[in-house]
Amino acid sequence: MESRCVNEGPEKTFVLVLDEDDEAMETLRVFAKTEKITAGRFTAIGAFREVVVGYYEIEKRQYKKISFKEQLEVLSMMGDIAFKSDGPVVHAHVVLGRSDGTVRGGHLLEAYVRPTLEVMLVESPDYLQRTMDERSGLPLISL
């Protein structure tokens, strides 16, 4: 394990309220690019009308896509933002609640908001970068 303290002072915090039909991952990516956020973390709650999550199949080195076309409650959404050569990368995982009380979840690939998504985003003043990890085939945060 590696670790590094990235901030001992104040952190900038943003509150984002996404509108119905906004695509959550793209909205967060554009916001991070506009605000020049190179490192951060976020949590969110709200709901989606359509979602694609992924389960990373390490042997195949690709995500198995799992689609839901139903109203789902965002019980938990958390993630981070780091920089890659072509701009900020938003990485998020979600736990989603169905109307019968069962849950689904995974790596968030695409999600359309209905009616809202409330995001608390904390920017770190330090820079984090993602680089390709040849072993897993994933772009991982490089310390």
Side-chain angles (χ1 to χ4, degrees):
M1 181 183 87
E2 293 181 88
S3 65
R4 179 175 66 170
C5 179
V6 295
N7 183 36
E8 293 184 15
E11 296 175 310
K12 195 177 219 180
T13 301
F14 298 92
V15 176
L16 289 77
V17 179
L18 279 66
D19 294 321
E20 189 161 330
D21 296 324
D22 284 348
E23 200 289 305
M25 296 297 284
E26 179 66 7
T27 301
L28 288 170
R29 191 194 65 73
V30 168
F31 181 82
K33 186 174 182 177
T34 301
E35 293 296 321
K36 297 177 177 59
I37 296 172
T38 59
R41 66 188 182 280
F42 59 89
T43 59
I45 56 172
F48 298 136
R49 67 170 168 77
E50 186 175 338
V51 180
V52 178
V53 296
Y55 178 82
Y56 192 69
E57 297 178 308
I58 198 150
E59 295 81 17
K60 294 181 180 179
R61 298 170 72 99
Q62 66 185 20
Y63 282 98
K64 173 184 175 184
K65 292 183 179 180
I66 306 161
S67 298
F68 301 99
K69 291 187 179 186
E70 62 186 278
Q71 186 68 24
L72 296 161
E73 189 91 9
V74 178
L75 304 176
S76 176
M77 178 174 160
M78 58 179 38
D80 58 41
I81 297 171
F83 197 79
K84 200 173 167 196
S85 59
D86 56 346
V89 176
V90 177
H91 178 211
H93 288 206
V94 292
V95 177
L96 304 164
R98 299 175 94 180
S99 64
D100 64 359
T102 60
V103 297
R104 299 291 188 263
H107 177 93
L108 188 59
L109 299 172
E110 186 177 345
Y112 294 90
V113 174
R114 186 170 84 194
T116 192
L117 186 70
E118 300 166 345
V119 181
M120 302 294 285
L121 191 155
V122 179
E123 178 186 22
S124 171
D126 204 350
Y127 175 83
L128 291 176
Q129 184 165 355
R130 288 194 178 275
T131 56
M132 187 57 70
D133 176 63
E134 295 304 321
R135 223 176 26 163
S136 67
L138 292 167
L140 303 178
I141 290 177
S142 183
L143 297 178

